[in-house]
Amino acid sequence: MKELWHGGPIYTMASEHEKVEAVLVENGKILEVGTFEELESKADTFSNLNGASMYPGLVDSHLHILFHGEKLIRLDLSKATSADEMLAFVREAAKDLPADKWLYGEGWNENNFIDKRIPTIQELDALRTGPILLTRVCHHVVLGNTAALIAGDIHENSISPAGGKIGRDSEGKLNGLLYEQACNLVKNAIPREGEAYIQDLVDALNRSIDDMLSKGLTGGHTEDMSYFGKYTNPLSAYERVIGEKHHFRVNLLRHHTVFEEMMKANLSFDEPFIEPGAMKIFADGSLGGATAALIEPYTDNPENKGLFIHTDEQLVELVKLARSYNEAIAVHIIGDAAAQQVIAAIEKYPVPAGKRDRLIHCCVLNEELLERITKLSAVIDIQPAFVPSDFPWVADRLGEKRLEYAYAWKKMLDRGIMCSAGTDAPIEDIDPLISIYAAVERKKPFDPHDGYLPNEKLTRYEAILAYTYGSAQAIGKEDSRGLIRPGYDADFTIFDRDLFEGSSEDMLNAKAVKTVVAGRVVFERH
């Protein structure tokens, strides 16, 4: 059956402002594009957009889909405006929770607190005897009570692990904070096995994907394989949720701790809906947690240059491991020192022909690093929403001098560097329109200024392209996804208004009315 989509502006995204009147689809692929008159006689069925606007399917190029689902289920601390309010949220959540159950909270950010104060371990202990684990918005820092730390075998005489830090107060006592690899000491103590646990993951995944579809997302590139017990747990959840419905496209990055095990298992994936992705590596931490690795010290903390997760030698060995399986790497890089470390390793061991490495975030660079990146076969996964979230406080962390190359999306594009857009959800709001707005305006909606580092603003076309064609480039699928063009996958995002018309704030009011994957309507707003 040949279906003809028509009746509204259809943006191909092949070039700025390029539109077609109609798109003919069959068996999940685009057959032809052109005028309604040209294609009408070839169609068996018709789908009238009724004035809505169609785009190639938007894809979040970097997020954690299962964590997003858990965030939708768990205690949300992102709205807390002070340490006391955060504690009040936890106190309320603890009221009816059995003592043997863990209390999880997500999304706290002391930079948004009036007092900038993080609750103490003593304050958490006063709320309940059962374990409390509260994850900072960046997911590079957690705050736990004594029961949680004991579960992770963390005591007053414990030594910080390599690539991590156990937080202590001014008297050297545990303060409940764990940074980077130290977080895993507690997280690894959480029970994660059995059919009931897998079903919990299925529930979180269904919740997450339903939310993504409702926002017009047709797919996501996600990193979930190493946080939920054996990799078979999350993989089984994806096979049950996506494999049975074929309503979403997911590219699964494989963390280096499970990468070789997954490769040796010779797994089959339900392509093209569940696809294997690159090896995921973390090079450093976050600016919010002051663990991003910087060449020069933090301006507001001259004794601190952040943390490397791996030594140079360890990182090179991981890159060599990926290359031994003919695979690309996808590396979390926030600071310029981390970028320096990773680029040097890639230069020494280039990506296999036909593949691209992924440099994720790249929030702080310099001229030399940008120039070296242009010579790599690599995509930078950008998160535009980091800008309104991190400014103005990040300016104090970095100082004036480094801001020229901070969150420098425009410089990247102008140099011909491929950029794909995402949210790092649950770190940022998963709504793609919020990220597109942030890329274009570089501020919170209606803020009375011209944006943070306004020279780095993207056009709407560039911002949307990073969500469509850019996301396809990130996984080497730009010859079949990311554009509305004959031969391409019939993945469409349809909004109730034209994203290229009106103000940027008007764009934020758009709603996805239909989400189409492989020619099938998988979400429809009623």
Side-chain angles (χ1 to χ4, degrees), residues 258-314:
V258 298
F259 174 80
E260 190 165 28
E261 185 183 1
M262 292 182 73
M263 296 302 294
K264 287 181 175 178
N266 197 26
L267 301 166
S268 60
F269 292 86
D270 190 12
E271 301 185 65
F273 298 97
I274 302 176
E275 298 171 332
M279 177 204 273
K280 173 68 182 293
I281 305 169
F282 282 85
D284 65 345
S286 70
L287 289 167
T291 53
L294 300 178
I295 295 171
E296 299 295 332
Y298 283 82
T299 302
D300 60 352
N301 185 358
E303 304 301 314
N304 181 28
K305 288 187 176 182
L307 287 171
F308 287 103
I309 304 299
H310 308 282
T311 65
D312 293 348
E313 294 75 19
Q314 289 169 337

Side-chain angles (χ1 to χ4, degrees), residues 7-53:
I10 299 173
Y11 287 93
T12 69
M13 296 303 292
S15 63
E16 193 164 5
H17 307 306
E18 181 176 290
K19 291 186 284 188
V20 294
E21 281 186 7
V23 178
L24 190 65
V25 171
E26 184 180 36
N27 295 328
K29 293 284 187 178
I30 298 170
L31 288 182
E32 296 183 56
V33 299
T35 66
F36 181 79
E37 186 178 0
E38 289 169 338
L39 301 178
E40 180 183 12
S41 62
K42 301 179 182 182
D44 300 305
T45 61
F46 297 83
S47 286
N48 194 327
L49 295 170
N50 295 312
S53 298

Side-chain angles (χ1 to χ4, degrees), residues 155-413:
H155 306 279
E156 289 295 347
N157 60 351
S158 294
I159 298 171
S160 295
K165 186 174 76 171
I166 296 172
R168 298 182 183 276
D169 61 23
S170 58
E171 298 178 357
K173 302 285 189 182
L174 296 175
N175 63 7
L177 290 167
L178 302 173
Y179 301 83
E180 303 303 338
Q181 298 303 296
C183 300
N184 295 333
L185 298 175
V186 171
K187 290 180 177 179
N188 291 341
I190 299 168
R192 293 190 174 106
E193 58 186 1
E195 177 58 30
Y197 179 65
I198 294 175
Q199 189 54 50
D200 286 343
L201 297 181
V202 167
D203 293 343
L205 193 54
N206 271 314
R207 189 92 168 256
S208 187
I209 291 175
D210 285 349
D211 186 48
M212 293 176 74
L213 292 172
S214 75
K215 292 175 171 61
L217 291 162
T218 61
H221 307 164
T222 185
E223 199 250 307
D224 299 310
M225 293 295 104
S226 69
Y227 306 110
F228 304 94
K230 294 180 179 179
Y231 76 82
T232 51
N233 291 338
L235 187 58
S236 294
Y238 276 103
E239 288 169 345
R240 293 184 195 182
V241 174
I242 295 177
E244 294 172 7
K245 298 178 185 176
H246 284 172
H247 65 322
F248 191 77
R249 298 189 194 271
V250 64
N251 184 275
L252 299 176
L253 300 183
R254 293 164 286 184
H255 193 279
H256 74 84
T257 56
V258 298
F259 174 80
E260 190 165 28
E261 185 183 1
M262 292 182 73
M263 296 302 294
K264 287 181 175 178
N266 197 26
L267 301 166
S268 60
F269 292 86
D270 190 12
E271 301 185 65
F273 298 97
I274 302 176
E275 298 171 332
M279 177 204 273
K280 173 68 182 293
I281 305 169
F282 282 85
D284 65 345
S286 70
L287 289 167
T291 53
L294 300 178
I295 295 171
E296 299 295 332
Y298 283 82
T299 302
D300 60 352
N301 185 358
E303 304 301 314
N304 181 28
K305 288 187 176 182
L307 287 171
F308 287 103
I309 304 299
H310 308 282
T311 65
D312 293 348
E313 294 75 19
Q314 289 169 337
L315 183 70
V316 165
E317 287 305 310
L318 290 175
V319 175
K320 286 169 65 177
L321 175 62
R323 303 314 192 217
S324 73
Y325 286 99
N326 198 44
E327 194 52 86
I329 58 172
V331 195
H332 166 108
I333 303 164
I334 296 287
D336 49 7
Q340 201 172 51
Q341 182 191 51
V342 172
I343 292 167
I346 294 174
E347 289 170 339
K348 193 171 184 180
Y349 296 97
V351 68
K355 297 207 171 184
R356 295 191 183 103
D357 288 325
R358 305 179 65 159
L359 310 181
I360 303 169
H361 311 313
C362 292
C363 293
V364 186
L365 296 173
N366 57 44
E367 182 61 35
E368 181 204 359
L369 293 172
L370 269 177
E371 185 60 30
R372 290 166 71 184
I373 290 171
T374 64
K375 295 177 172 63
L376 302 177
S377 178
V379 175
I380 297 182
D381 291 337
I382 67 171
Q383 291 70 44
F386 279 6
V387 173
S389 288
D390 293 1
F391 282 84
W393 60 260
V394 78
D396 295 329
R397 292 272 156 92
L398 296 176
E400 191 67 31
K401 183 180 174 184
R402 280 181 287 205
L403 289 183
E404 183 182 355
Y405 290 91
Y407 308 74
W409 323 137
K410 186 68 171 177
K411 284 188 180 69
M412 295 172 187
L413 288 176

Side-chain angles (χ1 to χ4, degrees), residues 93-115:
K95 279 183 179 178
D96 301 316
L97 193 66
D100 61 337
K101 295 288 186 182
W102 286 66
L103 192 162
Y104 300 105
E106 302 274 342
W108 60 270
N109 185 356
E110 77 283 4
N111 291 308
N112 294 336
F113 292 175
I114 298 168
D115 50 9

Side-chain angles (χ1 to χ4, degrees), residues 72-138:
L72 295 173
I73 295 168
R74 291 178 172 179
L75 173 63
D76 181 8
L77 298 173
S78 63
K79 301 296 189 292
T81 59
S82 68
D84 286 342
E85 187 172 25
M86 176 173 160
L87 289 166
F89 289 160
V90 175
R91 183 181 299 107
E92 185 64 27
K95 279 183 179 178
D96 301 316
L97 193 66
D100 61 337
K101 295 288 186 182
W102 286 66
L103 192 162
Y104 300 105
E106 302 274 342
W108 60 270
N109 185 356
E110 77 283 4
N111 291 308
N112 294 336
F113 292 175
I114 298 168
D115 50 9
K116 308 294 183 189
R117 185 179 76 82
I118 299 172
T120 66
I121 190 170
Q122 292 84 4
E123 287 174 314
L124 292 185
D125 287 343
L127 298 181
R128 74 187 301 252
T129 57
I132 300 173
L133 192 65
L134 310 177
T135 302
R136 193 181 183 279
V137 62
C138 63

